[in-house]
Amino acid sequence: MAFELGVYSFGEITPDPATGAVPTARQRLRDYLEQAAVADQAGLDVFAIGEHHRGDFAVSATSVVLAAMAERTERIRLSSAVTVLSSEDPVRVFQQYATLDLLSDGRAEIIAGRGSYIESFPLFGYDLADYDALFAEKLDLLLALRERNPITWSGRFRAPLNSADVAPRPLQEKLPIWVAVGGTPASVVRAGRLGLPLALAIIGGPLARFTPFAQLYRQAAEEAGHDPATLPLSINSPGFVAPTSQAARDLSYPYFDRGMLENFHERGHGFHTPRDAYDAQSSRAGALVVGSPQEIIDKIMYQHELFGHQRLLIQLAFGGVPQKETLRAIELLGTEVAPVVRREIGG
């Protein structure tokens, strides 16, 4: 596949560090619809939205938001980032994304994960003790739904299916299903053995530290009889782009820092990111994709030397960077970064 560049967001609702203003959920959703339209016009390849179930996030019904985006866009792929499959019903997930695929003329995909935010488990009546078993079983069902209809299936966590007709069917012959991982070797191996595309989240630390995960993924795929060359790998990281490197860091840092304090994973509390640490992570060797268009190009080329990946999704404007600057960043990615990267990396 040709190299793909896109953006994703978790839908966080964060107080503006400059004004203290808190956007409404309605405003955040309208912002995302506009961002998707601009990303489509600018020539980006993917727009992805994450799923959360708490008051400081605007998106819990991801497929609904993506369906609204489908009506405002023409070419860009529309994806979840991620679908917390462990606390979902795979039948409903398949139906929702098959519907999205029909509405979007074949542009839907699913990035499925176990979920680093865990509020959906008690909300929908699941036990965290079954965290991994839930995901393994539900991924098995989701893949089975993609392959055959009607379907007969049974498992531990869901009522069995007996010659069930699951409709509608997607427009694409095979609805794309990626597996998202956050650095757990067992999850990387699972994706490789199943022959599924891998979305590797890198949100901190030196990039080179994560190269063993790419190697492990391809090794597991090969041992399971899959051709690693046919399996896409995506790197998903926070970032921002502005006309100059200094402007990108100065503008995005206060929002990133506030976002990490307000909206970080449910691990007791968020944490402050010192400015020097943010700048270090934005360097060529660091995890964050922040800088001028040329700096972003150089960063992607360095990433590709390490991972040989086929896609980069940037969590653009994390923490609620104002819409005007976010739209400008999307335009820069699509018009100045993407063409160069595609030409340099090729298909």
Side-chain angles (χ1 to χ4, degrees), residues 205-208 249 279-290 295-307:
L207 284 171
R249 287 162 170 74
D279 290 342
Q281 285 294 298
S282 301
S283 68
R284 181 173 181 266
L288 304 183
V289 189
V290 180
E295 194 171 10
I296 301 299
I297 292 167
D298 294 342
K299 182 67 162 276
I300 295 173
M301 300 308 298
Y302 174 65
Q303 287 180 334
H304 195 260
E305 291 176 9
L306 295 176
F307 300 103

XYZ file of all heavy atoms in Angstrom, residues 205-208 249 279-290 295-307:
233
model
N 8.671 8.607 25.059
C 9.910 7.844 25.021
C 10.588 7.928 23.669
O 10.033 8.450 22.705
N 11.794 7.394 23.565
C 12.508 7.399 22.287
C 11.884 6.415 21.305
O 11.513 5.302 21.670
C 13.929 6.973 22.678
C 13.763 6.227 23.970
C 12.596 6.829 24.668
N 11.784 6.819 20.052
C 11.175 5.959 19.040
C 11.887 4.621 18.919
O 11.248 3.580 18.748
C 11.193 6.676 17.691
C 10.169 7.786 17.480
C 10.478 8.529 16.186
C 8.760 7.229 17.447
N 13.200 4.640 18.994
C 13.963 3.407 18.785
C 13.598 2.331 19.799
O 13.770 1.131 19.526
C 15.457 3.711 18.851
N 5.677 24.364 18.590
C 5.889 24.004 19.988
C 5.236 25.025 20.927
O 4.590 24.654 21.912
C 7.382 23.887 20.274
C 8.015 22.645 19.661
C 9.541 22.776 19.589
N 10.190 21.533 19.218
C 10.183 21.016 17.988
N 9.548 21.633 17.014
N 10.819 19.882 17.739
N 9.763 19.563 24.495
C 10.658 19.869 23.385
C 11.541 18.672 23.044
O 11.782 18.379 21.866
C 11.526 21.078 23.717
C 10.727 22.374 23.749
O 9.604 22.404 23.205
O 11.228 23.361 24.324
N 12.011 17.962 24.064
C 12.847 16.789 23.826
C 12.063 15.691 23.122
O 12.568 15.028 22.200
C 13.420 16.272 25.145
N 10.803 15.501 23.544
C 9.970 14.487 22.907
C 9.586 14.875 21.481
O 9.209 14.020 20.679
C 8.699 14.261 23.732
C 8.916 13.457 25.006
C 9.333 12.018 24.680
O 8.600 11.277 24.055
N 10.535 11.656 25.105
N 9.680 16.170 21.162
C 9.370 16.642 19.819
C 10.582 16.596 18.891
O 10.472 16.949 17.712
C 8.836 18.085 19.886
O 7.670 18.153 20.684
N 11.721 16.177 19.404
C 12.921 16.085 18.578
C 12.804 14.897 17.619
O 11.866 14.098 17.692
C 14.155 15.912 19.463
O 14.130 14.642 20.101
N 13.779 14.764 16.767
C 13.753 13.699 15.762
C 13.634 12.315 16.384
O 12.925 11.443 15.873
C 15.034 13.771 14.921
C 15.140 12.743 13.801
C 16.364 13.054 12.954
N 16.547 12.144 11.835
C 17.310 11.062 11.868
N 17.966 10.753 12.985
N 17.429 10.281 10.803
N 14.268 12.100 17.512
C 14.284 10.774 18.118
C 13.119 10.527 19.065
O 12.911 9.396 19.505
C 15.598 10.566 18.880
N 12.346 11.578 19.395
C 11.282 11.437 20.371
C 9.961 11.003 19.763
O 9.779 10.962 18.541
N 8.992 10.719 20.643
C 7.720 10.138 20.215
C 6.796 11.143 19.549
O 5.999 10.769 18.682
C 7.018 9.513 21.419
N 6.834 12.416 19.954
C 5.846 13.387 19.484
C 6.182 13.895 18.078
O 7.350 14.109 17.748
C 5.769 14.568 20.455
C 5.459 14.213 21.910
C 5.345 15.474 22.752
C 4.186 13.375 22.022
N 5.133 14.108 17.281
C 5.312 14.553 15.895
C 4.933 16.037 15.841
O 3.849 16.418 15.402
C 4.455 13.723 14.928
C 4.805 14.046 13.481
C 4.660 12.228 15.185
N 5.847 16.883 16.310
C 5.589 18.317 16.452
C 6.663 19.095 15.704
O 7.853 18.820 15.856
C 5.597 18.729 17.944
C 5.336 20.228 18.085
C 4.567 17.931 18.733
N 10.173 19.669 9.284
C 10.548 18.865 10.454
C 9.670 17.619 10.556
O 10.160 16.531 10.910
C 10.420 19.715 11.714
C 11.089 19.108 12.933
C 11.136 20.075 14.101
O 10.486 21.136 14.024
O 11.816 19.758 15.097
N 8.394 17.742 10.234
C 7.496 16.587 10.254
C 7.905 15.584 9.178
O 7.912 14.365 9.408
C 6.031 17.028 10.050
C 5.601 18.002 11.143
C 5.110 15.809 10.022
C 5.662 17.457 12.546
N 8.267 16.087 8.000
C 8.742 15.200 6.937
C 9.971 14.428 7.397
O 10.065 13.202 7.234
C 9.056 16.017 5.664
C 7.763 16.574 5.054
C 9.805 15.159 4.643
C 7.988 17.635 3.991
N 10.944 15.144 7.974
C 12.157 14.484 8.459
C 11.834 13.450 9.526
O 12.445 12.364 9.562
C 13.128 15.524 9.018
C 13.662 16.472 7.948
O 13.557 16.131 6.750
O 14.154 17.558 8.313
N 10.882 13.775 10.401
C 10.498 12.846 11.469
C 9.885 11.572 10.882
O 10.199 10.453 11.314
C 9.493 13.549 12.399
C 9.021 12.727 13.599
C 10.170 12.485 14.580
C 9.688 12.066 15.938
N 9.320 13.184 16.805
N 9.023 11.730 9.906
C 8.378 10.559 9.299
C 9.413 9.690 8.589
O 9.364 8.451 8.668
C 7.270 11.004 8.329
C 6.150 11.712 9.091
C 6.707 9.797 7.573
C 5.095 12.340 8.205
N 10.360 10.312 7.917
C 11.383 9.532 7.229
C 12.246 8.769 8.232
O 12.629 7.612 7.980
C 12.249 10.451 6.359
C 11.475 11.209 5.277
S 10.462 10.146 4.234
C 11.709 9.113 3.488
N 12.541 9.409 9.353
C 13.291 8.710 10.412
C 12.465 7.552 10.974
O 12.977 6.448 11.179
C 13.666 9.694 11.513
C 14.318 9.043 12.719
C 15.560 8.418 12.618
C 13.675 9.059 13.960
C 16.151 7.829 13.716
C 14.268 8.466 15.065
C 15.506 7.848 14.938
O 16.082 7.254 16.040
N 11.180 7.792 11.223
C 10.305 6.715 11.681
C 10.328 5.542 10.700
O 10.380 4.377 11.098
C 8.868 7.215 11.817
C 8.595 8.121 12.990
C 7.136 8.558 13.008
O 6.474 8.610 11.977
N 6.628 8.885 14.176
N 10.280 5.879 9.416
C 10.208 4.811 8.413
C 11.492 3.992 8.367
O 11.456 2.784 8.098
C 9.912 5.415 7.037
C 9.462 4.402 6.033
N 10.300 3.871 5.080
C 8.261 3.794 5.850
C 9.642 2.999 4.347
N 8.403 2.930 4.786
N 12.609 4.642 8.631
C 13.862 3.888 8.734
C 13.791 2.866 9.867
O 14.329 1.761 9.756
C 15.030 4.843 8.975
C 15.369 5.740 7.800
C 16.480 6.714 8.155
O 17.080 6.569 9.249
O 16.753 7.626 7.354
N 13.131 3.242 10.958
C 13.048 2.365 12.122
C 11.998 1.270 11.962
O 12.236 0.112 12.327
C 12.712 3.183 13.374
C 13.738 4.198 13.857
C 13.187 4.967 15.050
C 15.044 3.499 14.234
N 10.828 1.630 11.428
C 9.678 0.728 11.472
C 9.263 0.173 10.110
O 8.575 -0.838 10.058
C 8.476 1.448 12.085
C 8.689 1.933 13.480
C 8.935 3.274 13.739
C 8.661 1.054 14.557
C 9.141 3.731 15.027
C 8.864 1.499 15.843
C 9.105 2.843 16.093
